[in-house]
């Protein structure tokens, strides 16, 4: 393999004039690029992918060039080094890969339409125009667009349009920026606009398939997020506008293109009168995430993709900081505790996991390092830890200096630690590097040894792991004043336990607030003390207790059976976070049961008992004005009641269905998925199946669409399952962007597991051809690994995936997922009898 050189070392662009002529009918683009910059050598290269190159000139003269498709490059020989202007003419196809310049398909009143949009991160700008497609190669851009335009179309780009001449749309020169952030789109759009206090125009755009009020929530959140960041970062938003655009086909969740952020429809547009709070929280945090990037990512960009975490971890933390500030009633940090924390703790416990900061060179590998549980969730936890260490004031002061020092340029993690270190006087880098450069995290054991309270750290594994004697600098956050702030050593002795206990007057606890990335294993004496005082714990502490115990059980450090009797203590909690932790455990216990046997019946009965009081309290009809906790708790308990086959719950859901049969989309969004699923599973028919499938095609409400997917994939009818799987490759029914959810639904359904598994093995090539280019691809493997739990499936998994272990981007996922399934199979074999006995005992 050729050595990978960064092309920026050969040629440093300063300014691009890009002209692109797009023909939707023939799915072809033709373009010219004029780029001026500094040639450091005479043998330079610029990126291209899938292009036909018509001509290359340097300073007006034809020069020798060679297209090197393996390196995604045009290699150019210049007469001399120094300042050079290149002119390149090219043509390229428009593909349906959701990368580069691509069409999105949708229907309005039965009429098929399309919108053209772009997705360039990480390395697809080179599919739209030849460029040095590396984050460090920042330049200014003048964009001009021509297309087969018709009446009533809107064109959007990073910068405002300055003029239209002979059908060509010209846009204002951008600020200095990376190629992966260039964006444009056009089609029949609707939009709403407002202006921030500082005069930035904010807009939300989508297709005309949506009701106009679906744009309102996003417009409000976007405006207030920009206002929040201008204040928080003490750095103005540098562009005249911030557009948010929902695209019907989108491979990622959203993308922070500077001035023109693009989103999946589900993550931007929502019916303000009928959307679940959970979805509103999601949309708000996605918007806040992308807008955090407008500074952290766009204004200051990672130098190379190995520092991708710097972009993503930071934006992932800021989405919570911002939404907590502008929508305090959302209690958004609770979502951090129920989503990011467990995702990171679970994934990071498998040996072979990547570190947050990870080396990467090959373009084919870049997308595969976006392991969201690590780069997003763990990285965000690292930064939450850093923020707790330095405090908000130093964080803000440090950031302000960081932006001032690196704006319109690039930075690395060390530059951030330096800025935060200077602002706080704390050597943040030394502490953070122990977390960023090493994979995994520690379990801290707290034990009374010879009368002394003693702490020790050791890497925590779920499944087999090679202990490399890693050590972390752990912010302990103990509730006894005698606890050191940072644990640097393997072991610390806090002192005489009896004395400490009586002085402090409460059970000993670590990681109070659950903001550090470690779990705690208390010895029996300390655990019993905590369990005797659970009522004194706040909701996050209760969640943490359950989460840590569950992880310890997954890692075989305690028995799963020992957790079962504790669940009742938490069953009547009105806190959504506690219910989340509780029902996650019920979900994990399912792997020990066998369908249609006593073990399953007992677990169903336990779920019924645990949920009964909350089901009675909350009911099936959301009440106007009820608390966020009530709104978020209802789905957990209704789902538990339906899993338990509670006849009353089934009847109520069926009644709601019958009452709304002609307007299913208007069922209250909080309970809609359960009503639909109950109907499919317990009252299903081919007629209902077809009706729901048709509704799913026709509705523009992404939440409703997702509910239908969850319901239909639950069917127990083999004929309907086969029918559904036939639709997997029919993009008119199931868009490739939504397929993973459908696949997961069928695979996780015991009646569909075999069929879904057969499908993915038989049609792997189709899947690779369809979504192989984007970062979701590997997560299909993750989905399979999240379901399998038997030795037979493990063998089949290995037989199918092991031969693919050398495919770029797949290797780590396959290796890790083999471990994930292996450890689950072993856990089930070892503990099945004890767990089922413990559950039977509970429901006796
Ligand atoms: N920059 C990413 C999107 C991205 C990542 C595109 C890698 C291509 C390659 C964006 O800011 C992002 O993080 N999107 C998330 C949603 C976010 C709110 C967590 C996503 O797409 O999952
Ligand atoms: Zn991001």
């Amino acid at each position: 393999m050729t050595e990978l050189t960064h092309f920026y070392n050969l040629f440093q662009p300063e300014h691009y004039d890009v002209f692109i002529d797009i023909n939707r009918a023939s799915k072809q683009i033709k373009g010219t690029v004029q780029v001026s910059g500094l040639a450091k050598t005479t043998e330079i290269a610029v990126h291209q992918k899938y292009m036909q190159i018509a001509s290359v000139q340097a300073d007006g003269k034809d020069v020798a060039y060679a297209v090197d498709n393996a390196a995604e490059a045009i290699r150019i020989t210049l007469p001399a080094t120094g300042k050079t202007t290149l002119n390149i003419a090219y043509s390229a196809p428009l593909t349906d890969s959701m990368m580069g310049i691509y069409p999105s398909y949708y229907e309005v009143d039965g009429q098929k339409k399309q919108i053209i949009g772009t997705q360039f991160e990480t390395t697809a700008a080179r599919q739209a125009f030849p460029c040095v497609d590396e984050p460090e190669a920042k330049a200014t851009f003048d964009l001009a667009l021509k297309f087969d335009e018709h009446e009533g179309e809107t064109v959007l780009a990073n910068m405002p349009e300055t003029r239209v001449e002979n059908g060509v749309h010209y846009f204002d020169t951008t600020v200095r920026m990376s190629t992966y952030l260039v964006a444009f789109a056009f089609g029949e759009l609707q939009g709403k606009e407002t202006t921030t206090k500082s005069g930035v125009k904010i807009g939300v755009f989508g297709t005309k398939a949506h009701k106009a009020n679906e744009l309102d929530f996003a417009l409000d959140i976007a405006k207030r997020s920009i206002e929040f960041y201008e204040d928080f970062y003490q750095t103005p938003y540098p562009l005249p506008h911030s557009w948010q655009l929902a695209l019907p086909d989108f491979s990622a969740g959203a993308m922070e293109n500077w001035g023109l952020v693009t989103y999946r429809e589900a993550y931007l547009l929502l019916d303000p009168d009928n959307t679940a709070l959970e979805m509103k929280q999601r949309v708000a945090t996605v918007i806040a995430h992308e807008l955090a990037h407008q500074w952290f990512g766009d204004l200051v960009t990672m130098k190379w993709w190995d520092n991708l975490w710097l972009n993503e971890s930071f934006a992932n933390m800021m989405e919570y900081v911002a939404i907590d500030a502008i929508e305090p009633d959302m209690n958004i940090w609770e979502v951090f505790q129920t989503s990011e924390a467990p995702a990171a703790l679970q994934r990071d416990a498998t040996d072979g996991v990547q570190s947050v900061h990870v080396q990467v060179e090959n373009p084919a590998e870049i997308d595969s390092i976006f392991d969201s549980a690590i780069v997003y969730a763990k990285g965000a936890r690292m930064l939450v830890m850093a923020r707790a260490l330095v405090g908000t004031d130093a964080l803000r002061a440090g950031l302000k200096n960081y932006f001032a020092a690196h704006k319109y340029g690039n930075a690395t993690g060390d530059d951030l630690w330096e800025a935060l270190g200077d602002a706080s006087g704390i050597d943040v880098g030394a502490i953070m590097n122990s977390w960023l450069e090493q994979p995994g995290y520690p379990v801290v054991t707290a034990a009374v040894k010879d009368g002394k309270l003693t702490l020790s750290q050791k890497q925590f594994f779920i499944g087999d792991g090679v202990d490399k004697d890693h050590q972390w600098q752990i912010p302990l956050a103990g509730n006894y004043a005698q606890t050191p702030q940072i644990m640097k050593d393997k072991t610390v002795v806090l002192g005489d336990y009896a004395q400490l206990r009586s002085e402090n007057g409460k059970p000993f606890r670590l990681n109070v607030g659950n903001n550090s990335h470690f779990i705690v294993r208390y010895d029996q004496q300390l655990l019993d003390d905590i369990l005797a005082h659970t009522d004194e714990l706040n909701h996050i502490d209760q969640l943490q207790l359950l989460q840590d115990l569950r992880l310890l059980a997954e890692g075989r450090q305690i028995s799963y059976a020992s957790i079962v009797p504790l669940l009742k203590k938490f069953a009547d909690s009105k806190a959504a976070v506690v219910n989340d932790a509780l029902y996650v455990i019920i979900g994990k216990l399912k792997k020990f049961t066998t369908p249609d046997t006593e073990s399953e019946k007992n677990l169903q009965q336990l779920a019924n008992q645990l949920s009964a009081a909350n089901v009675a309290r909350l009911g099936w009809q959301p009440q106007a004005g009820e608390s966020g906790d009530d709104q978020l708790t209802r789905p957990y308990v209704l789902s538990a009641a339906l899993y338990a086959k509670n006849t009353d719950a089934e009847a109520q859901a069926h009644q709601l269905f019958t009452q709304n049969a002609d307007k299913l989309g208007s069922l209250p969004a909080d309970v809609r998925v359960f009503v639909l699923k109950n109907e499919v599973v317990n009252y299903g028919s081919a007629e209902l199946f077809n009706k729901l499938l048709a509704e799913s095609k026709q509705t523009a409400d992404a939440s409703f669409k997702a509910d239908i997917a969850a319901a239909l994939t639950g069917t127990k009818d083999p004929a309907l399952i086969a029918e559904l799987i036939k639709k997997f490759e029919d993009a008119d029914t199931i868009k490739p962007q939504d397929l993973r959810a459908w696949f997961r639904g069928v695979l996780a359904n015991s009646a569909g597991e075999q069929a879904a598994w057969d499908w993915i093995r038989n049609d792997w090539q189709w899947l690779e051809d369809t979504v192989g280019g984007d970062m979701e691809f590997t997560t299909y493997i993750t989905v399979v690994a999240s379901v399998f739990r038997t030795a037979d499936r493990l063998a089949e998994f290995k037989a199918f995936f092991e031969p693919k272990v050398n495919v770029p981007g797949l290797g780590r996922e396959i290796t890790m997922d083999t471990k994930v399934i292996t450890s689950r199979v072993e856990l089930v074999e070892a503990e099945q009898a004890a767990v089922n006995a413990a559950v039977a005992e509970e429901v006796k």
Side-chain angles (χ1 to χ4, degrees):
M1 195 169 122
T2 51
E3 198 186 325
L4 292 150
T5 321
H6 294 189
F7 293 176
Y8 183 66
N9 297 336
L10 312 175
F11 177 60
Q12 305 185 337
E14 268 158 29
H15 179 76
Y16 290 83
D17 282 289
V18 181
F19 167 74
I20 306 176
D21 183 354
I22 299 164
N23 188 320
R24 285 173 285 195
S26 67
K27 284 190 145 185
Q28 280 288 321
I29 66 171
K30 274 175 82 167
T32 57
V33 162
Q34 171 167 310
V35 48
S36 53
L38 185 66
K40 310 286 272 186
T41 82
T42 55
E43 301 296 320
I44 66 164
V46 296
H47 289 102
Q48 67 76 30
K49 196 173 178 186
Y50 305 139
M51 287 182 173
Q52 294 291 326
I53 305 300
S55 65
V56 179
Q57 296 187 325
D59 298 316
K61 295 202 183 71
D62 285 336
V63 288
Y65 71 91
V67 174
D68 178 352
N69 284 326
E72 303 183 355
I74 313 171
R75 302 199 179 274
I76 302 170
T77 306
L78 297 175
T81 62
K83 281 209 182 288
T84 307
T85 299
L86 301 175
N87 281 83
I88 303 173
Y90 65 96
S91 60
L94 275 190
T95 65
D96 289 332
S97 61
M98 298 186 273
M99 292 290 147
I101 305 171
Y102 71 92
S104 271
Y105 302 99
Y106 66 105
E107 283 184 18
V108 183
D109 301 330
Q111 253 203 306
K112 286 190 189 275
K113 308 225 172 215
Q114 54 170 282
I115 290 190
I116 298 291
T118 57
Q119 170 61 44
F120 291 171
E121 190 177 19
T122 46
T123 55
R126 65 191 66 172
Q127 297 181 38
F129 56 94
C131 55
V132 178
D133 196 12
E134 293 167 0
E136 200 180 355
K138 288 197 175 188
T140 51
F141 296 84
D142 276 330
L143 177 68
L145 287 180
K146 187 165 181 279
F147 52 98
D148 42 359
E149 189 168 358
H150 56 258
E151 188 68 28
E153 294 192 286
T154 305
V155 195
L156 304 172
N158 303 89
M159 295 296 285
E161 185 177 278
T162 49
R163 64 185 203 281
V164 186
E165 248 173 54
N166 301 325
V168 181
H169 296 256
Y170 293 88
F171 298 88
D172 220 346
T173 311
T174 69
V175 293
R176 197 165 182 271
M177 61 188 282
S178 303
T179 49
Y180 79 90
L181 295 168
V182 173
F184 59 83
F186 52 86
E188 289 173 16
L189 299 171
Q190 60 172 321
K192 285 196 183 177
E193 292 179 30
T194 182
T195 309
T196 65
K197 283 188 271 194
S198 63
V200 179
K201 278 197 199 165
I202 305 292
V204 174
F205 299 85
T207 73
K208 291 181 181 165
H210 299 275
K211 288 183 292 177
N213 69 353
E214 290 179 44
L215 281 58
D216 296 346
F217 181 79
L219 189 65
D220 172 55
I221 296 288
K223 169 177 183 280
R224 291 189 294 126
S225 295
I226 294 278
E227 289 173 347
F228 169 79
Y229 290 126
E230 287 202 311
D231 173 60
F232 188 87
Y233 293 146
Q234 291 292 298
T235 306
Y237 178 81
L239 309 184
H241 69 224
S242 170
W243 299 153
Q244 330 299 316
L245 166 65
L247 288 170
D249 289 286
F250 202 79
S251 77
M255 177 64 215
E256 69 268 26
N257 315 300
W258 214 353
L260 177 55
V261 183
T262 45
Y263 299 81
R264 271 187 186 225
E265 293 187 327
Y267 293 156
L268 189 69
L269 308 177
L270 58 81
D271 178 351
D273 303 320
N274 191 24
T275 295
L277 174 57
E278 193 193 353
M279 199 57 209
K280 288 187 176 166
Q281 289 175 323
R282 179 96 184 122
V283 169
T285 50
V286 172
I287 296 170
H289 175 108
E290 303 310 334
L291 295 180
H293 275 315
Q294 304 298 296
W295 287 259
F296 214 99
D298 296 3
L299 181 64
V300 179
T301 309
M302 75 241 139
K303 203 168 149 72
W304 182 250
W305 298 109
D306 66 320
N307 268 300
L308 173 75
W309 69 272
L310 190 61
N311 266 10
E312 297 304 344
S313 308
F314 196 88
N316 207 26
M317 170 177 75
M318 287 311 294
E319 66 190 64
Y320 294 93
V321 174
I323 297 304
D324 191 44
I326 68 174
E327 285 288 324
D329 291 346
M330 276 194 178
N331 292 322
I332 205 73
W333 282 107
E334 294 195 347
V335 176
F336 192 81
Q337 294 292 355
T338 55
S339 60
E340 318 282 350
L345 290 166
Q346 183 82 34
R347 178 94 174 164
D348 204 21
T350 302
D351 201 12
V353 70
Q354 69 182 55
S355 51
V356 175
H357 179 213
V358 61
Q359 294 306 326
V360 61
E361 280 299 333
N362 187 343
E365 303 268 341
I366 294 174
D367 282 344
S368 79
I369 65 170
F370 275 67
D371 181 338
S372 68
I374 300 303
V375 172
Y376 289 72
K378 180 182 179 182
R381 291 199 100 204
M382 307 295 86
L383 290 166
V384 165
M385 226 156 61
R387 172 173 173 253
L389 281 170
V390 303
T392 303
D393 290 345
L395 174 72
R396 291 182 59 180
L399 283 175
K400 187 181 172 194
N401 294 337
Y402 174 83
F403 290 129
H406 305 288
K407 62 183 172 191
Y408 306 110
N410 299 78
T412 63
D414 287 339
D415 294 320
L416 179 65
W417 304 139
E418 196 180 304
L420 298 187
D422 287 350
S424 64
I426 300 171
D427 186 359
V428 209
I431 299 169
M432 296 317 293
N433 282 334
S434 73
W435 296 95
L436 290 162
E437 306 297 335
Q438 306 184 107
Y441 64 92
V443 49
V444 173
T445 301
V448 181
K449 283 189 187 151
D450 303 328
K452 299 228 174 347
L453 183 52
T454 309
L455 309 181
S456 56
Q457 59 162 302
K458 193 175 180 9
Q459 184 168 1
F460 177 70
F461 292 111
I462 296 175
D464 282 347
V466 181
D467 197 330
K468 299 210 179 106
D469 212 25
H470 286 318
Q471 228 162 287
W472 286 266
Q473 298 204 24
I474 309 174
L476 286 172
N479 68 340
Y480 286 8
Q482 295 83 352
T483 324
Q485 224 206 341
I486 307 278
M487 176 170 175
K488 291 186 180 156
D489 301 319
K490 281 222 107 145
T491 310
V492 208
V493 179
L494 295 199
D496 182 72
Y497 174 65
Q499 199 184 334
L500 286 166
R501 177 66 177 88
S502 84
E503 256 175 56
N504 285 282
K506 57 191 170 202
F508 176 65
R509 294 186 54 249
L510 290 172
N511 203 5
V512 175
N514 204 30
N515 285 325
S516 294
H517 189 54
F518 70 97
I519 59 171
V520 192
R521 179 180 177 183
Y522 299 99
D523 74 4
Q524 200 60 46
Q525 174 182 1
L526 296 173
L527 181 63
D528 287 344
D529 195 13
I530 294 170
L531 289 173
H533 295 85
T534 47
D535 294 348
E536 293 154 32
L537 296 178
N538 69 31
H539 299 146
I540 295 295
D541 295 341
Q542 293 186 7
L543 157 121
Q544 179 190 32
L545 180 64
L546 290 172
Q547 236 175 47
D548 282 12
L549 288 172
R550 170 174 64 74
L551 287 159
L552 290 169
E554 292 280 326
R556 311 283 294 274
Q557 302 213 3
I558 63 172
S559 80
Y560 244 114
S562 73
I563 304 180
V564 174
L566 306 178
L567 302 179
K568 276 188 182 145
K569 256 183 189 306
F570 302 92
D572 296 345
S573 174
K574 293 179 178 168
V577 291
V578 178
N579 280 293
D580 176 273
L582 180 66
Y583 289 103
V584 168
I585 292 177
I586 292 294
K588 296 278 177 188
L589 291 175
K590 291 179 188 171
K591 62 174 163 277
F592 298 104
T593 66
T594 312
D596 306 318
T597 64
E598 197 64 18
S599 62
E600 186 179 58
K601 285 206 187 69
N602 285 338
L603 187 61
Q604 287 171 330
Q605 208 186 325
L606 179 60
N608 200 37
Q609 288 175 5
L610 295 175
S611 59
N614 268 326
V615 170
R617 182 173 71 84
L618 296 167
W620 280 81
Q621 289 284 2
Q623 304 299 312
E626 63 186 4
S627 71
D629 265 316
D630 286 353
Q631 292 175 60
L632 295 172
T633 297
R634 181 179 288 104
Y636 293 117
V637 296
L638 293 187
S639 160
L642 290 180
Y643 165 70
K645 300 199 179 303
N646 178 304
T647 47
D648 189 40
E650 289 177 353
Q652 292 216 35
H654 182 48
Q655 194 188 357
L656 269 172
F657 181 89
T658 318
Q659 286 164 355
N660 292 279
D662 54 348
K663 46 175 187 341
L664 294 174
S666 316
L667 276 164
D670 295 277
V671 301
R672 188 172 48 208
V673 65
F674 306 115
V675 172
L676 297 179
K677 191 160 183 182
N678 179 61
E679 205 61 22
V680 167
V681 175
N682 297 318
Y683 307 85
S685 64
E687 192 193 339
L688 174 67
F689 181 90
N690 290 327
K691 175 184 160 92
L692 287 177
L693 212 52
E695 293 245 16
S696 146
K697 276 177 78 164
Q698 189 242 320
T699 182
D701 181 338
S703 292
F704 182 36
K705 234 190 230 296
D707 291 346
I708 295 174
L712 283 180
T713 54
T715 179
K716 301 289 171 198
D717 181 335
L720 296 180
I721 288 170
E723 195 67 19
L724 208 51
I725 288 179
K726 273 199 217 132
K727 304 283 184 204
F728 279 10
E729 294 170 37
D730 166 17
D732 279 342
T733 307
I734 300 176
K735 282 175 173 287
Q737 65 165 16
D738 299 326
L739 179 56
R740 193 184 51 176
W742 291 82
F743 170 66
R744 183 200 284 121
V746 179
L747 189 79
N749 169 356
S750 55
E753 184 178 315
Q754 185 65 47
W757 178 222
D758 289 343
W759 170 77
I760 201 167
R761 284 183 295 178
N762 290 331
D763 288 12
W764 183 258
Q765 192 55 49
W766 174 87
L767 189 67
E768 188 169 354
D769 294 343
T770 312
V771 299
D774 78 61
M775 62 172 173
E776 240 189 41
F777 184 43
T778 57
T779 62
Y780 277 85
I781 312 176
T782 326
V783 165
V784 174
S786 72
V787 171
F788 284 180
R789 55 181 173 145
T790 64
D792 289 346
R793 287 291 190 228
L794 172 62
E796 292 169 10
F797 180 92
K798 284 190 188 166
F800 184 69
F801 283 114
E802 271 175 3
K804 303 188 189 326
V805 80
N806 291 323
V807 177
L810 297 189
R812 188 196 303 280
E813 194 57 44
I814 292 170
T815 311
M816 280 182 70
D817 285 338
T818 307
K819 282 215 163 104
V820 166
I821 306 172
T822 306
S823 75
R824 188 179 301 123
V825 169
E826 287 172 3
L827 172 66
V828 170
E829 276 170 7
E831 299 201 13
Q832 190 163 39
V835 170
N836 289 334
V839 173
E841 179 67 26
E842 280 304 289
V843 298
K844 200 164 65 180

